[in-house]
């Protein structure tokens, strides 16, 4: 088990709503990525003949991602967890690497889950998950969603349990949460638990109870509170969950879901709507900047003409990158992209709410996000005023440019 310091980042949250919990016939996915404020990584894996197009939100120093989507409407987010199973020493696949590989190789949530479990079996998981000389390692849980369903996948080393979500709402918060409702599992899961003396072999098998640490660290207790708060926020909107509702949940600071304390901040947020009607495109809203309560959710749609938005691409440092030179992480470099830099200046103005310029910037953010939501509503209704298909691929770039201009 990894030791966890006072400043260990332990607060990410994932959410999903599957009809009839959603207000419309669509699966809605959401995640906050919480990382240190200053913030296939270690090994190579065999390539496959074909990979899918992906959009990723990731810490800029590593190859993998904390959340993302692919061209088939599969969305995945991951969470750090600590279990009775020891964290593997040495470098292997990070949970974030597994997430990206699953998006590149899975055309459904189930396929993506099987990609992760297959890679876990072959390569294992491990390696430091923080850009710092002191190693920081953990195991992972994943929330995977597509147009029809969602899967929760929780791991302990190479072992795992999965739960299929075909209706209702579900959330994750840095703790094991699958109890006896297990839809699929590693073939050695129960025999290993029995051999370790964690389970007697008789009666019901509660994965979270069997594999969770007996004494939880202080920060994990905070994760329990966030999990309960997130579940309550979802339950309050059962049957009426929308994209805007998910954005509100990700912006909730009272619960700790939107984090800004202890040296860590919610660095990026994502909400995706995955319509069951295949004629309607999936729309992914990403902030690409910290603190969703002071950021703009901008729409991204896979399609012709999609290009990378240079304003949200972090600088690269080639072979001299501290993550590539051994020993790793001996120095740090400035990885902030241009939109991040502009947003940091604007953030200071907006947090000083009496300043007129800060208030105007906040209003511009509101107006820009509202425009993005109007595009979504038009696509779902196939109404007039919806951008033609050839323009959908450039939506995100256009919104990023306009946001950057507001901060200039």
């Amino acid at each position: 088990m990894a030791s966890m310091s006072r400043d260990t980042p332990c607060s990410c949250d994932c959410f999903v709503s599957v009809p009839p919990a959603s207000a419309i016939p669509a699966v809605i996915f959401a995640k906050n990525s919480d990382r240190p404020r200053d913030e296939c990584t270690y090994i190579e894996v065999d390539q496959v003949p074909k990979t899918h197009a992906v959009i990723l939100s990731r810490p800029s120093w590593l190859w993998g991602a904390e959340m993302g989507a692919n061209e088939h409407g599969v969305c995945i987010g991951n969470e750090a967890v600590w279990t009775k199973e020891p964290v593997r020493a040495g470098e292997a696949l990070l949970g974030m690497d597994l997430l990206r590989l699953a998006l590149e190789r899975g055309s459904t949530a189930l396929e993506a889950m099987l990609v992760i479990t297959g890679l876990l079996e072959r390569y294992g998981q491990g390696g430091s998950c923080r850009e710092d000389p002191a190693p920081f390692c953990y195991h992972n849980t994943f929330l995977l969603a597509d147009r029809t369903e969602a899967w929760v996948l929780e791991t302990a080393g190479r072992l795992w349990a999965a739960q299929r979500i075909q209706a209702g709402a579900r959330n994750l918060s840095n703790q094991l949460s699958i109890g006896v409702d297990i839809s699929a599992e590693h073939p050695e899961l129960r025999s290993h638990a029995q051999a370790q003396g964690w389970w007697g072999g008789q009666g019901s098998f509660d994965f979270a109870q069997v594999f969770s640490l007996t004494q939880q660290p202080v920060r994990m207790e905070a994760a329990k509170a966030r999990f309960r708060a997130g579940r309550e926020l979802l339950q309050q909107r059962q049957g009426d969950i929308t994209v805007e509702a998910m954005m509100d949940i990700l912006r909730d600071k009272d619960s700790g879901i939107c984090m800004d304390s202890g040296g860590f901040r919610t660095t990026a947020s994502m909400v995706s709507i995955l319509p069951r009607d295949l004629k309607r495109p999936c729309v992914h809203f990403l902030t690409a900047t910290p603190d969703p309560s002071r950021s703009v959710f901008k729409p991204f749609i896979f399609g012709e003409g999609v290009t990378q938005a240079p304003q949200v691409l972090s600088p690269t440092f080639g072979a001299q990158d501290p993550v590539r030179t051994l020993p790793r992480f001996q120095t740090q470099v400035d990885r902030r992209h241009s939109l991040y830099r502009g947003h940091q200046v604007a953030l200071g103005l907006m947090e000083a709410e009496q300043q007129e310029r800060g208030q105007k910037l906040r209003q511009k953010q509101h107006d820009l996000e509202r425009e993005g939501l109007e595009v979504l509503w038009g696509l779902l209704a196939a109404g007039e005023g919806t951008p033609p298909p050839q323009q959908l691929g450039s939506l995100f770039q256009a919104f990023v440019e306009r946001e950057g201009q507001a901060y200039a």
Side-chain angles (χ1 to χ4, degrees):
M1 183 189 72
S3 62
M4 291 183 289
S5 70
R6 177 177 56 84
D7 291 327
T8 296
C10 309
S11 60
C12 291
D13 295 272
C14 291
F15 302 87
V16 71
S17 173
V18 180
S22 305
I24 59 173
V27 173
I28 305 175
F29 169 93
K31 174 172 164 63
N32 271 351
S33 170
D34 302 329
R35 302 286 304 180
R37 287 176 180 268
D38 53 3
E39 199 153 46
C40 204
T41 308
Y42 300 123
I43 69 170
E44 293 184 0
V45 300
D46 291 342
Q47 184 57 282
V48 293
K50 181 181 178 180
T51 57
H52 310 310
V54 298
I55 182 168
L56 305 171
S57 178
R58 63 186 182 89
S60 57
W61 63 269
L62 50 75
W63 183 82
E66 288 223 337
M67 54 192 172
N70 70 21
E71 61 184 301
H72 298 288
V74 178
C75 297
I76 311 178
N78 85 309
E79 309 275 335
V81 291
W82 292 266
T83 73
K84 291 176 183 175
E85 191 69 12
V87 174
R88 167 179 170 163
E91 297 178 345
L93 288 173
L94 296 179
M96 291 168 279
D97 298 332
L98 291 165
L99 186 154
R100 177 171 178 172
L101 288 164
L103 286 174
E104 290 185 349
R105 301 179 180 193
S107 59
T108 66
L110 176 58
E111 280 187 10
M113 187 192 76
L114 294 176
V115 168
I116 292 176
T117 57
L119 290 167
L120 266 181
E121 188 68 20
R122 182 171 181 183
Y123 299 101
Q125 58 181 318
S128 183
C129 303
R130 180 168 59 181
E131 190 181 12
D132 190 271
F136 170 62
C137 307
Y138 51 72
H139 293 154
N140 293 265
T141 68
F142 302 88
L143 181 60
L144 309 94
D146 59 26
R147 290 178 183 264
T148 62
E149 64 182 13
W151 284 82
V152 174
L153 172 64
E154 301 189 335
T155 73
R158 282 184 164 85
L159 303 174
W160 55 271
Q163 182 183 47
R164 188 182 187 187
I165 311 297
Q166 294 180 284
R170 185 71 154 80
N171 64 310
L172 298 179
S173 293
N174 299 113
Q175 61 178 5
L176 298 180
S177 61
I178 297 176
V180 298
D181 187 8
I182 300 174
S183 306
E185 64 187 68
H186 189 283
E188 299 174 9
L189 181 70
R190 303 189 189 207
S191 60
H192 179 80
Q194 189 171 3
Q196 296 297 316
W198 301 338
W199 179 58
Q202 301 295 322
S204 62
F205 180 83
D206 186 311
F207 175 69
Q209 186 177 62
V210 170
F211 276 85
S212 293
L213 292 168
T214 304
Q215 291 187 330
Q216 297 281 3
V218 174
R219 277 190 172 271
M220 298 306 290
E221 293 300 325
K224 290 182 180 179
R226 280 196 343 275
F227 177 76
R228 290 193 297 268
R231 182 176 57 193
E232 290 171 3
L233 289 168
L234 288 173
Q235 289 175 346
Q236 290 169 10
R237 306 197 184 212
Q238 279 276 358
D240 195 32
I241 298 175
T242 62
V243 169
E244 295 94 322
M246 284 295 199
M247 291 177 180
D248 289 343
I249 291 173
L250 296 185
R251 285 168 165 154
D252 192 288
K253 291 197 171 183
D254 290 341
S255 63
I257 291 170
C258 182
M259 186 181 187
D260 188 13
S261 63
F264 300 94
R265 168 174 277 177
T266 297
T267 54
S269 303
M270 172 179 171
V271 177
S272 296
I273 185 162
L274 316 173
R276 289 195 158 165
D277 183 350
L278 296 178
K279 297 190 293 294
R280 303 284 185 264
C282 297
V283 183
H284 311 282
F285 288 87
L286 302 103
T287 60
T289 53
D291 191 348
S293 70
R294 293 289 188 273
S295 286
V296 178
F297 281 95
K298 297 167 283 291
F300 175 90
I301 299 174
F302 286 94
E304 295 182 10
V306 171
T307 58
Q308 292 183 325
Q311 299 92 331
V312 296
L313 294 178
S314 296
T316 57
F317 301 91
Q320 302 308 310
D321 194 313
V323 74
R324 297 183 181 276
T325 57
L326 298 176
R328 304 186 197 274
F329 310 125
Q330 299 305 296
T331 60
Q332 288 196 346
V333 291
D334 188 350
R335 301 184 186 276
R336 294 176 298 170
H337 54 63
S338 61
L339 186 66
Y340 187 108
R341 292 171 183 268
H343 179 265
Q344 289 302 99
V345 175
L347 191 61
L349 293 170
M350 289 184 289
E351 288 177 345
E353 303 216 345
Q354 283 71 30
Q355 292 195 21
E356 183 179 355
R357 189 183 172 199
Q359 292 175 346
K360 288 182 178 179
L361 280 172
R362 189 68 187 125
Q363 187 59 50
K364 287 182 179 179
Q365 286 187 322
H366 278 302
D367 294 343
L368 191 58
E369 185 169 290
R370 180 59 51 181
E371 286 188 39
L373 289 168
E374 288 173 354
V375 170
L376 169 65
W377 299 330
L379 288 169
L380 293 178
E384 296 181 4
T386 305
Q390 63 270 23
Q391 293 183 15
L392 294 178
S394 61
L395 266 180
F396 186 73
Q397 173 67 55
F399 275 79
V400 167
E401 289 176 354
R402 291 176 59 192
E403 184 180 1
Q405 290 166 2
Y407 299 153

